[in-house]
Amino acid sequence: MPLIDVALPLPLFRTFSYRVPEGLTGSVTEGSRVVVPFRNRKEIGIVLGAAAPIGGVKYRDVIAAPDDAPVIDPPMLSLCRWIAEYYVTPLGVALRCALPAALTGAGSPVPSQRTRRVATIELELPSLLHRDRIFARSKQQRALYELLEQLGGRAAVDVLADQLKFSPSVLKGLVARGLVVVSEEVVSRDPFLTRERRAADSHRPSDAQRNALERLALAQPGHVALLHGITGSGKTLVYLELLRRVVLEEKRSAIVLVPEIALTPQTVDRFRAVFGDAIAVLHSGLSDGERYDAWLALRRGEKRIAVGARSAVFAPLRDLGAIVVDEEHESSYKQGDAPRYHAREVAIVRARAEGAVVVLGSATPSLESWTNAQSGKYELLSLPERAGGAQLPIVHVVDLRAERPTRKPSDHEEADAAFAMAISPPLEAALRSRLAKREQSILLLNRRGYASFIQCGACGDVAVCPNCSISLTYHRTPERLVCHYCQHTEALHRTCQRCGGQRLRQRGLGTQQVERLLAERFPSARIARMDVDTTSGKWAHTEILDRVGIGAVDILLGTQMIAKGLDFPNVTLVGVIDADVGINLPDFRASERCFQLLSQVAGRAGRGPKGGEVLIQTRAPSHHAVRCAVTHDYHAFVKEELASRRTPPYPPNVRIANVVVSGINEDATARLATRAVAWVHRLLAQHPSPGVTVIGPAPCPVERVQQRWRWHLLLKGDRPHELGRVARYLVEHFEVPHQHGLRMTLDRDPVALL
Ligand SMILES: [Zn+2]
Ligand SMILES: [Zn+2]
């Protein structure tokens, strides 16, 4: 293979040819990495195969080829080719996301594993007499030798030195006499290994669970099932039994995708209880080296189940038997940067190519998956009842319009009024009764910080981020204004920046404020707050949830983080402080997301024998997202929501690609977006593409982020292939000028249009 074709992780829709020097031909094969010169730097690329030389072209040489075996096998290469094609991304960019960062970094291409030195007894000394003679003049050596014996014949060198205080010369002496050898050993760094193991579940499957499992056992390779199970219906048990068959009986491998490991430690614990060391947990807190260790263990077949967030869909497993996508409706399965893939769709494509079955699980399936199940593209499996005879909680609506105080409070009523703005009297009473009964409560407020914005009482001006068209959120500890889009922070102003007015008001509740109000009202209650600000540490989520699990928390207050997967039988009350957060966002999925969040958080209540109750505070009780969450009626919600997406059509009634044009100059950005739309219109006139239309341009709902102005246009089409063709042509051929920082990105099947 003297000339090869290489994919580089660059925003260019082409591959590059390089010459392989004599000495490297042995380690250059399809799917292996090569270090190549590109312009005046080095890049790491993936070998795609042999290239045909073009006469007169001078090719540059490959600099290094670090792999003894390809890092991308042929099925993974075709999966990445599909991603590149469907999501309109260069192949090199798609390939990069299939590999752990340790293999794509610009530094040393071969990661060094963490090793430690271990001392092992080489020569056994049977008799005491023997020892007396050998160690006659070295008591220290004898002590160390006998300690090693007690430790089972081996110990880490740093433990001997640091903890047991043996000087290195003592060990050297033993080594010199051939009694002990010191060797390097690879250390496994999976932090989940140190987590306490729980016992495996002993539940027997219910009839509905057994039915689902029987249907899955009959499934053909590549089959996709949508497991629609209400909250608490035991979807995890179905996953566990499916994997028991696939991994333990058939000796194949499996992938379990969860929205975020940190938020679902209970689910992960249940898998570990059954499959133990066969699992590699791909946690977001892993270092690059740890991630690489896990990747190697999966590739070598030492681990046969990968559990992780969206990128675990690329786990290098062979003989894949099943892929589970838990909470398939979660938007975290969509990657925000190129390649903007959706892990659920990638899972389906991979499973079809490799002969695995796919289970998409959710209590509130995405409208896309639901429609596919209705059309017969996916098989629908239902778990319509809670496991163990538990009932869904009763949901009450607290209409905040009615609860609002009618007169201005007097001074001594001020504190009461502030509390009542957050926690209505019915919710307060419900909390009080849980505290009295030593039961636990969960409170959802999907807005972190102290107040959502600061507004001038005189002119109405709102403090806005200088980089983004977003109001700054007031944080109290530490006191500052923070932009939740770009992390810009500034000190709190004492006077209005526009009119100099002195009455600056905090508007909109945040979790910090509610935490303070609760602590003042219920001084003896143990309150935990869980949001982005309290969970920056690697294990912070798990620590908070573990405390709830052992009953050390009375009230868990948090953002949407607390809505997922938690299963605490002593939680008998869920309160939603403001159901309307996000309901009116200018996004076609706003209602769907609101319904999912309310249903999911309501599902945390009443999972044990004591039952449960949910109180939803809202100013929009008749909105279908709220109404259907109250009655636990997914089907009614879907019916209304699908109808509302018919005119104008939005997914799943049509496919879309969101094209965002951005730049630092407002006019140039708007002009480029306008030109792009005209360009697409001309393209569609010259090359008819049935069903494809272009909408826009318009400023994005969030007009400016990180000093960049943003405009967008939408490509819509009911035929995926035609839509993909137009999208690709636009991205590859529409010229974006190299000025004003102008950029164009395309997001196919976007989860949001903000
Ligand atoms: Zn003002
Ligand atoms: Zn900002």
Side-chain angles (χ1 to χ4, degrees):
M1 205 192 273
L3 195 67
I4 52 166
D5 197 21
V6 176
L8 295 177
L10 306 169
L12 297 167
F13 286 88
R14 51 160 296 195
T15 55
F16 300 85
S17 297
Y18 290 92
R19 220 179 58 86
V20 184
E22 287 279 304
L24 295 179
T25 42
S27 39
V28 173
T29 46
E30 183 188 291
S32 65
R33 289 175 306 153
V34 281
V35 182
V36 294
F38 183 80
R39 301 210 172 117
N40 50 6
R41 58 178 195 268
K42 291 176 188 173
E43 288 282 350
I44 296 177
I46 300 289
V47 179
L48 299 174
I54 299 169
V57 178
K58 185 151 166 36
Y59 295 98
R60 298 174 78 180
D61 276 4
V62 170
I63 298 168
D67 299 326
D68 344 320
V71 292
I72 298 278
D73 61 8
M76 189 60 73
L77 183 56
S78 26
L79 185 68
C80 290
R81 283 190 193 278
W82 178 82
I83 290 172
E85 178 68 28
Y86 186 83
Y87 293 103
V88 195
T89 304
L91 178 58
V93 174
L95 283 163
R96 184 181 47 184
C97 81
L99 289 173
L103 292 174
T104 61
S108 119
V110 178
S112 58
Q113 288 190 319
R114 207 179 75 188
T115 55
R116 60 176 182 181
R117 293 170 64 228
V118 177
T120 312
I121 289 180
E122 174 78 353
L123 193 67
E124 304 279 347
L125 297 175
S127 72
L128 277 178
L129 221 73
H130 214 74
R131 286 179 194 206
D132 288 343
R133 209 172 57 233
I134 286 187
F135 293 120
R137 266 176 293 163
S138 47
K139 279 204 182 110
Q140 285 266 27
Q141 285 186 12
R142 179 172 187 160
L144 179 53
Y145 183 88
E146 291 182 344
L147 179 76
L148 276 172
E149 278 187 322
Q150 285 163 24
L151 294 172
R154 63 204 309 269
V157 171
D158 55 358
V159 173
L160 297 175
D162 302 343
Q163 292 170 25
L164 305 168
K165 307 291 174 208
F166 282 97
S167 90
S169 64
V170 181
L171 183 61
K172 260 190 208 149
L174 287 173
V175 173
R177 299 170 103 170
L179 296 170
V180 169
V181 289
V182 172
S183 54
E184 296 272 317
E185 189 182 81
V186 175
V187 185
S188 172
R189 288 163 292 188
D190 181 353
F192 246 87
L193 287 178
T194 55
R195 215 174 133 73
E196 200 180 310
R197 293 271 179 87
R198 58 178 271 169
D201 297 301
S202 55
H203 300 302
R204 301 233 133 261
S206 67
D207 287 350
Q209 286 166 331
R210 192 169 310 117
N211 176 56
L213 284 164
E214 279 163 10
R215 305 262 289 276
L216 288 171
L218 298 172
Q220 297 294 311
H223 186 80
V224 182
L226 174 63
L227 180 64
H228 177 218
I230 62 167
T231 58
S233 61
K235 291 183 286 294
T236 309
L237 187 87
V238 174
Y239 308 152
L240 286 170
E241 293 301 317
L242 169 69
L243 263 57
R244 219 192 275 274
R245 173 169 63 75
V246 167
V247 176
L248 300 184
E249 289 172 26
E250 296 171 9
K251 309 287 180 210
R252 302 179 74 190
S253 63
I255 296 173
V256 179
L257 299 181
V258 294
E260 199 187 323
I261 292 268
L263 300 180
T264 49
Q266 290 182 313
T267 309
V268 177
D269 286 350
R270 288 181 69 183
F271 278 94
R272 289 180 55 81
V274 174
F275 301 103
D277 290 338
I279 295 187
V281 181
L282 304 171
H283 185 273
S284 62
L286 294 181
S287 67
D288 286 354
E290 286 163 342
R291 198 163 275 275
Y292 175 66
D293 291 352
W295 185 86
L296 269 185
L298 289 162
R299 199 169 82 139
R300 292 180 183 141
E302 294 160 11
K303 310 253 179 196
R304 285 195 293 137
I305 302 176
V307 181
R310 71 173 172 261
S311 64
V313 76
F314 299 107
L317 287 159
R318 289 181 186 140
D319 197 13
L320 198 57
I323 306 182
V324 169
V325 185
D326 189 26
E327 310 290 357
E328 65 84 32
H329 62 276
E330 281 287 338
S331 49
S332 62
Y333 284 127
K334 177 87 170 162
Q335 171 142 310
D337 310 321
R340 294 178 173 78
Y341 69 91
H342 198 299
R344 176 184 64 215
E345 307 308 316
V346 175
I348 291 170
V349 171
R350 182 169 180 189
R352 288 197 170 134
E354 299 183 32
V357 295
V358 181
V359 179
L360 311 176
S362 177
T364 52
S366 63
L367 265 64
E368 280 83 353
S369 295
W370 181 255
T371 311
N372 283 331
Q374 292 302 307
S375 72
K377 208 171 152 195
Y378 304 165
E379 181 183 20
L380 180 63
L381 304 173
S382 297
L383 304 178
E385 274 160 23
R386 278 195 157 181
Q391 296 298 306
L392 279 172
I394 298 160
V395 184
H396 305 284
V397 169
V398 180
D399 188 342
L400 292 178
R401 297 170 306 183
E403 294 287 336
R404 189 182 294 170
T406 46
R407 61 188 172 80
K408 210 176 168 330
S410 64
D411 275 356
H412 68 273
E413 285 171 337
E414 193 103 27
D416 277 355
F419 183 83
M421 288 293 282
I423 312 279
S424 62
L427 183 53
E428 182 187 351
L431 282 168
R432 206 175 280 290
S433 93
R434 293 319 183 287
L435 290 169
K437 286 189 281 184
R438 305 205 137 270
E439 294 172 2
Q440 292 168 296
S441 305
I442 287 181
L443 290 179
L444 170 78
L445 176 58
N446 203 12
R447 199 158 44 199
R448 68 194 171 95
Y450 191 84
S452 48
F453 57 94
I454 298 287
Q455 189 171 34
C456 170
C459 76
D461 192 49
V462 169
V464 173
C465 174
N467 308 321
C468 313
S469 54
I470 285 289
S471 57
L472 292 167
T473 303
Y474 172 53
H475 284 241
R476 185 119 160 177
T477 42
E479 185 170 66
R480 63 212 167 121
L481 296 172
V482 181
C483 171
H484 286 183
Y485 265 73
C486 72
Q487 313 308 326
H488 164 86
T489 58
E490 57 185 66
L492 183 65
H493 311 298
R494 295 294 150 200
T495 54
C496 171
Q497 300 290 287
R498 192 163 93 187
C499 76
Q502 310 226 325
R503 285 183 307 132
L504 293 183
R505 298 223 168 103
Q506 299 162 12
R507 294 298 174 104
L509 285 170
T511 44
Q512 286 184 355
Q513 185 168 178
V514 173
E515 182 186 31
R516 205 200 70 188
L517 292 168
L518 288 168
E520 284 169 2
R521 182 58 56 111
F522 305 115
S524 61
R526 296 162 301 170
I527 300 163
R529 189 180 104 220
M530 188 156 151
D531 56 32
V532 169
D533 301 309
T534 62
T535 53
S536 52
K538 207 168 173 177
W539 293 96
H541 304 85
T542 320
E543 277 161 23
I544 295 173
L545 297 177
D546 285 349
R547 267 167 55 215
V548 178
I550 59 167
V553 170
D554 299 311
I555 301 174
L556 173 65
L557 163 71
T559 55
Q560 40 86 26
M561 281 183 184
I562 59 167
K564 299 180 214 310
L566 306 184
D567 189 356
F568 299 116
N570 199 37
V571 170
T572 59
L573 173 69
V574 165
V576 179
I577 289 171
D578 185 352
D580 315 340
V581 175
I583 209 171
N584 292 317
L585 282 177
D587 189 275
F588 73 97
R589 280 190 219 273
S591 300
E592 183 182 2
R593 215 165 277 136
C594 178
F595 172 77
Q596 286 163 348
L597 180 61
L598 294 178
S599 305
Q600 296 286 341
V601 75
R604 302 311 112 209
R607 297 171 80 98
K610 294 172 192 161
E613 180 188 24
V614 179
L615 268 77
I616 296 180
Q617 303 189 144
T618 175
R619 285 186 178 78
S622 57
H623 191 288
H624 65 295
V626 177
R627 218 171 356 95
C628 299
V630 169
T631 51
H632 304 290
D633 196 341
Y634 174 78
H635 298 95
F637 173 77
V638 167
K639 206 169 153 222
E640 286 192 47
E641 184 62 20
L642 277 177
S644 79
R645 293 194 199 168
R646 228 155 259 150
T647 38
Y650 276 106
N653 292 317
V654 71
R655 303 291 195 108
I656 60 175
N658 188 26
V659 182
V660 175
V661 173
S662 65
I664 46 179
N665 179 295
E666 187 178 6
D667 285 344
T669 306
R671 276 200 308 273
L672 184 64
T674 309
R675 261 182 43 219
V677 170
W679 192 92
V680 177
H681 277 303
R682 269 201 312 280
L683 176 75
L684 294 177
Q686 286 159 9
H687 306 278
S689 301
V692 179
T693 54
V694 57
I695 318 276
C700 293
V702 182
E703 280 186 78
R704 195 165 172 244
V705 173
Q706 295 192 312
Q707 305 192 339
R708 299 180 65 81
W709 295 92
R710 305 165 73 236
W711 279 62
H712 70 153
L713 43 132
L714 277 186
L715 300 177
K716 291 189 178 186
D718 42 21
R719 298 185 198 180
H721 181 73
E722 294 291 336
L723 180 68
R725 225 163 48 98
V726 173
R728 191 167 191 93
Y729 206 79
L730 172 67
V731 171
E732 284 189 36
H733 297 280
F734 178 71
E735 210 168 300
V736 177
H738 290 286
Q739 49 180 343
H740 307 300
L742 289 167
R743 227 183 273 159
M744 186 171 80
T745 61
L746 183 134
D747 184 3
R748 193 157 183 197
D749 302 337
V751 292
L753 296 180
L754 297 173

